[in-house]
Amino acid sequence: MNSDFLPHRGQGQNTHHIQPSASPSPTNSNSGPQFHEGGGFSSHHKPPKKSLKEWLRHLTKKQWAILITVAVLVLGGIGFGVYSIWLKDDTKPVTKKQTTKKETPKPTPEPLTSTLTGLPIADASINDRPVTGIMIENSRDARPQSGLTDAGVVFEAIAEGGITRFLTLWQDTDSDYIGPVRSVRPYYVQWLMGFDGAIAHAGGSGDALAMIKNLNVKDLDQFHNSGAYWRVSSRYAPHNLYTSTAKLHELEAKKGFGKANYTGFARKKEAPTAAPTARTIDFNISGALYNSHYDYDAATNSYLRSVGGAPHKDERSGAQIAAKAVVGLVMPQGKNGIYTTYNTLGSGRAYIFQDGVVAVGNWYKDSNTSQFTFKDDGGAELKLNPGKTWLTIVGGTDRITYNP
C-alpha cells in the first residue's frame, strides 16, 4: 500500500480513525439501513406476514361479531345500491303514444214487435201465442160492444140483411170482457185462415160450419165449449153472450192449439203528413145504420171511428175506437139465400188510409191460408202503420169516399 495515503503519528492533523463495531447498535425498525460486521449495509428485518386463515383463527368473539356486522352492512349496502339502480331503471315512466282506438259500432238490435199488429212487445214469446178470432155482433141491440178498442185487427163485413159483423183478431193484447159474440160466415173463416187462427163463435151458417170442419180450422164454438163463455143479465139473448181472452187461451191450451204460423201484414214506421189529403173517410156499406165514418186526428195520427152517425165507443171505457190504418177492400159481393157472400180470393182494389193520406192500389190473396198483401199500381208493396188495423169490405169502388 502506498504510504502516502496513511496517516502518520505526530502530524498536526486532527483525524478520526474509524473502528469497526463489534455489534450493531440497537436501533428501532425505522432507523434505516444498518452496517454489519464484516462490512456492507442491509435493510431492517421484517417479521413474516400471517395468512388470512391464521389471522381469522386468532380473532376473539368480539372481533368476530364486529367483523360479521361490518360485512353485513357492507354487503347490504352494495345490494341495496344495485337494487336501487335496477329499480330506478325498471320504474322509469314509459311514455306511450296515445292512440284512439276506433271501435266498430255494434249494430242496433231490431226491436221486438208483434207479428199481428207491428207494435213493440216486451217478450218474444208473445208471438208464440195462438191468434184468436172472435166474432162480435153489430146490430143496434149489440151496441155499444166491448173489446173492439183492444183487438189488434178487425174485419168488417155484412153478415145478412145489411147488418154488419166483426171478426176481431187477438194475440199481443187481452181483454176480460169481449162481446156480444155471434155466429160466423164462410168469408170470415177465409180471412182468419190467413192468420192460422182459432175461431170463437156461437154457431154459424151451414157453409161456414162445414168449412171449419172440412178445412180443420181450429174451432172454439160456444155450442161445444160453453165453459169459455157466459151470458150477462143486462141484455137479452142472443145479444148477451160474452167471453175473455183468458178463457179462450185456456180452451186453446186444452185443445192443443199452439203457436200460430203466419205472416203478418207488412208494416212501416209512422210518417204523419203536414198536409192531410184524407181527413175524412166514408164507407157506404149497406145503409145509414151500418155505414162507417172516420175523422183523422193529427194529434194521435189515427182515425176516429163512427158508425150509424155516432162515435163508435167501447161499452165499459167509453173510449172511441181509433185505428192507425184503415183499409177499404173492394170485393165482388152477392147473396146466398139470406146470407151475403164475397169473393175473397184473387185480387181487387184497395184503399189504404194512414198518416192523413190515402194510397190506392190492389189487394191480393191467393188461397184460404195465404195472407193479404197490398201493392200500388206499379207493383210496389204498400205497408201499414203499426197498431190497430181496421179493414172494411165493400162491393164497389163507388162505396169509398174521402176528403182532405
Side-chain angles (χ1 to χ4, degrees):
M1 178 180 295
N2 189 347
S3 60
D4 292 336
F5 292 93
L6 298 174
H8 296 276
R9 295 177 187 269
Q11 290 181 344
Q13 290 177 288
N14 187 14
T15 62
H16 296 280
H17 181 70
I18 299 174
Q19 296 293 330
S21 300
S23 62
S25 301
T27 62
N28 59 38
S29 60
N30 295 323
S31 61
Q34 301 295 318
F35 182 83
H36 294 272
E37 185 179 3
F41 294 89
S42 68
S43 297
H44 175 68
H45 176 71
K46 294 180 180 180
K49 294 182 179 180
K50 295 180 181 180
S51 65
L52 177 61
K53 183 177 181 180
E54 185 179 0
W55 183 75
L56 292 173
R57 190 174 60 210
H58 287 84
L59 292 178
T60 65
K61 290 182 179 181
K62 184 177 181 181
Q63 290 172 328
W64 268 109
I66 294 172
L67 179 62
I68 291 172
T69 301
V70 171
V72 169
L73 292 174
V74 171
L75 291 176
I78 294 172
F80 179 77
V82 172
Y83 175 76
S84 298
I85 294 171
W86 174 81
L87 182 64
K88 182 178 180 181
D89 292 340
D90 190 57
T91 58
K92 286 182 180 179
V94 179
T95 303
K96 292 184 178 180
K97 186 178 180 180
Q98 298 294 326
T99 58
T100 303
K101 185 178 180 181
K102 294 183 178 179
E103 296 184 358
T104 303
K106 296 181 179 179
T108 303
E110 290 292 326
L112 291 175
T113 58
S114 163
T115 306
L116 183 65
T117 65
L119 291 172
I121 53 177
D123 192 333
S125 65
I126 291 174
N127 286 329
D128 294 334
R129 293 178 178 177
V131 170
T132 307
I134 307 173
M135 294 301 306
I136 297 181
E137 184 185 1
N138 191 35
S139 69
R140 285 188 297 179
D141 296 322
R143 299 174 189 169
Q145 299 91 345
S146 295
L148 290 175
T149 52
D150 298 315
V153 174
V154 180
F155 286 89
E156 176 182 26
I158 300 171
E160 74 263 350
I163 302 173
T164 54
R165 192 161 293 175
F166 309 120
L167 166 66
T168 62
L169 301 181
W170 306 72
Q171 187 178 35
D172 56 322
T173 55
D174 291 291
S175 175
D176 63 355
Y177 192 64
I178 305 168
V181 179
R182 287 301 295 270
S183 60
V184 68
R185 301 293 180 265
Y187 35 91
Y188 296 114
V189 176
Q190 291 175 302
W191 299 332
L192 170 81
M193 290 178 69
F195 297 86
D196 188 29
I199 184 69
H201 60 105
S205 66
D207 290 343
L209 297 178
M211 181 179 286
I212 292 172
K213 181 179 180 180
N214 296 334
L215 298 181
N216 294 317
V217 177
K218 302 168 186 175
D219 194 8
L220 305 174
D221 191 348
Q222 183 265 341
F223 289 170
H224 304 288
N225 305 281
S226 59
Y229 303 82
W230 68 91
R231 293 192 181 271
V232 299
S233 59
S234 57
R235 295 186 180 188
Y236 60 88
H239 316 292
N240 62 347
L241 184 65
Y242 287 78
T243 188
S244 68
T245 52
K247 284 187 173 293
L248 293 177
H249 289 331
E250 183 180 355
L251 179 59
E252 288 166 333
K254 289 179 180 178
K255 289 179 173 290
F257 299 160
K259 177 181 178 179
N261 296 305
Y262 71 102
T263 301
F265 295 136
R267 301 286 182 174
K268 69 173 188 65
K269 291 184 178 180
E270 291 188 44
T273 182
T277 58
R279 292 181 184 274
T280 64
I281 313 167
D282 285 283
F283 292 99
N284 182 7
I285 302 172
S286 63
L289 194 58
Y290 302 101
N291 294 340
S292 57
H293 172 85
Y294 293 88
D295 292 293
Y296 177 64
D297 179 35
T300 59
N301 191 36
S302 60
Y303 283 92
L304 302 177
R305 176 180 165 85
S306 296
V307 65
H312 198 172
K313 297 183 178 182
D314 179 76
E315 179 185 2
R316 283 190 166 179
S317 68
Q320 186 174 4
I321 296 168
K324 284 292 186 178
V326 175
V327 182
L329 302 179
V330 180
M331 295 182 181
Q333 180 179 327
K335 289 191 72 174
N336 180 15
I338 65 171
Y339 301 118
T340 298
T341 62
Y342 295 96
N343 293 339
T344 64
L345 303 181
S347 64
R349 295 302 275 173
Y351 294 74
I352 298 175
F353 299 92
Q354 57 189 357
D355 299 322
V357 297
V358 60
V360 181
N362 298 284
W363 61 264
Y364 300 89
K365 182 174 170 62
D366 299 330
S367 66
N368 289 331
T369 56
S370 64
Q371 184 57 269
F372 278 103
T373 57
F374 309 106
K375 297 180 181 180
D376 65 18
D377 290 336
E381 187 175 40
L382 296 174
K383 298 182 179 181
L384 308 181
N385 281 345
K388 180 189 290 298
T389 303
W390 196 289
L391 303 100
T392 298
I393 291 77
V394 295
T397 57
D398 61 333
R399 293 179 175 270
I400 301 175
T401 57
Y402 54 93
N403 292 288

